[in-house]
Each structure stands twice: as C-alpha cells, then as structure tokens.
Amino acid sequence: MRFFRSLVVSVIVSSMVLFVLAGCAGSDEIVVGHDSNFVPFEYRDSETGDYVGFDIDLVAAIAEEAGFEYRTEPMAFDGLIPSIMADKIDMAAAGMTISEARQEEIDFSRPYYDSGLHLMVHIDNDDITAIEDLEGKVVATRSGTTSYNYLRDHELVDNDHITPYENIIEAYQELETGAADAVFFDSPALLRYAATEGEGKVKIVGPLYEGQQYGFGFEKGDELRDQVDEALETLIENGIYAEIYEKWFGEKPE
C-alpha cells in the first residue's frame, strides 16, 4: 500500500513538472501581430490562403537569425498598438511608420524601410496634379494611418471630404467607381497597385510627401527590440535583407 501511494505521488509530481515545462516552452514563443491587407508588406495569398509579403518574409529571417520561435496574428492595423500595450502581442510588423506620437506609446526597431506618401487619381483625371488641388475633393485613405493624420493636420481637405477605410482596397474601389476623387496613402502600396491591378485605371500624381521610415513595434522597454535590431543588422550585412527586398519590390535597396 505504501509503495502504491509513493507511485501515485511520483506520477503526480512528474505530471506537474511536465506541465510547468510545457508552459515555459510555450511562453518563449513570440507573437507577431501584422496587418491583414497591406500589399506588398502583408496580405493573404488568394490561392493558398496564407499570409505573404515583405514583412512576413523579413520576420521569418529575423526569427531564424535571432533564434526565437514565433507565430503570426493578423489583425486590423489600428488594433496593433493597443494589442502591444495590452500585452496581447509581442511585436508588430505592419509597414508601421515611426512617428513621435506612436513613440510615446511603444518602442520601435531601427528603421527597415524608407517610405512616404503619394497621391493617386483616376487615369482620366487631369484636374488633380498635386495635393494642393484637393480642396473640395473627396479623398479616400486608410483609418489610423499617417496619411489620414497628414490630411487632417495640414488642413488641405475638409474633414467632411476625407473618407477613411479600414481596408485600403475599399479606397481603391471608390476611386475607380468615381465615389472618390483621389486616394492618399503610403507610397509603396500605391505604386504597386498602379503598376498591377490598377494599371490603365489609375495613376500616381505629384511628388513624394513627408518622407517616412517603417519600423517594427514593441512594448516599451522590451528587450526583444534589441534582439530584432541585432538580427536585422546581420541580415543587412550578409545580403539576405537585399534578397527579400528585391523579391517584393523588383530592385535592390539603395
């Protein structure tokens, strides 16, 4: 009877140890939140259903270099920073512009992509050639982005004429149907759309506005940022970053 009790205790203790170890192993997994539709940085492949893009490939390379396990969590762009602050995700990879306002809430990695804002109009529109021509026009953009803030802060368009969408694809559709006069958004997304799905239907006009840089987002003081920065530096030096960049943008980075 004493042997049986000892055996039972031993089994229970072993099970508790395994449970604790499993919990510890699971806690080492990094949760990476990303945008659900920001071509070519992250978007769902229509054939496989998988999320693909520049950010997706770069995060995979960073994780391999830094030696951490991770899983991705697609979500709305404007939910990323609240999710970091609520400790629901460990890292945000979403073509996120490094701004002073955002730096008050989260930490950013070193910049990994140089961007800016562009203006896109219908292919037959010759009235809008620059942002100064937007007065009285309906301008579509994406909610929670620096492009939306730029339009409001510079008071170039009345708030009633700015139409923000959760999904930028909706803004493109509104432009093509005539419901919007222009789309104002991140340069790489507009350039890619104008050269692919929007070819012959839309065009880019005006200069590049407000040069910007993208960074990965982290909770304030999180040491993960340092690991990512170190891995990213290595990827830039060994040429892997350039390979991923060329795959998605068709040219080597400057």
Side-chain angles (χ1 to χ4, degrees), residues 115-134:
S115 181
L117 304 175
H118 255 140
L119 189 63
M120 186 170 73
V121 299
H122 192 276
I123 193 71
D124 297 325
N125 188 326
D126 296 323
D127 296 327
I128 300 175
T129 60
I131 200 168
E132 291 77 17
D133 300 325
L134 294 179

Side-chain angles (χ1 to χ4, degrees), residues 34-35 40-43 51-61 70 72 93 216 244 248:
H34 65 81
D35 198 349
F41 290 85
E42 46 268 322
Y43 63 99
Y51 281 96
V52 297
F54 178 66
D55 281 344
I56 303 298
D57 285 355
L58 188 55
V59 167
Y70 75 100
T72 58
F216 298 116
I244 297 173
W248 290 102

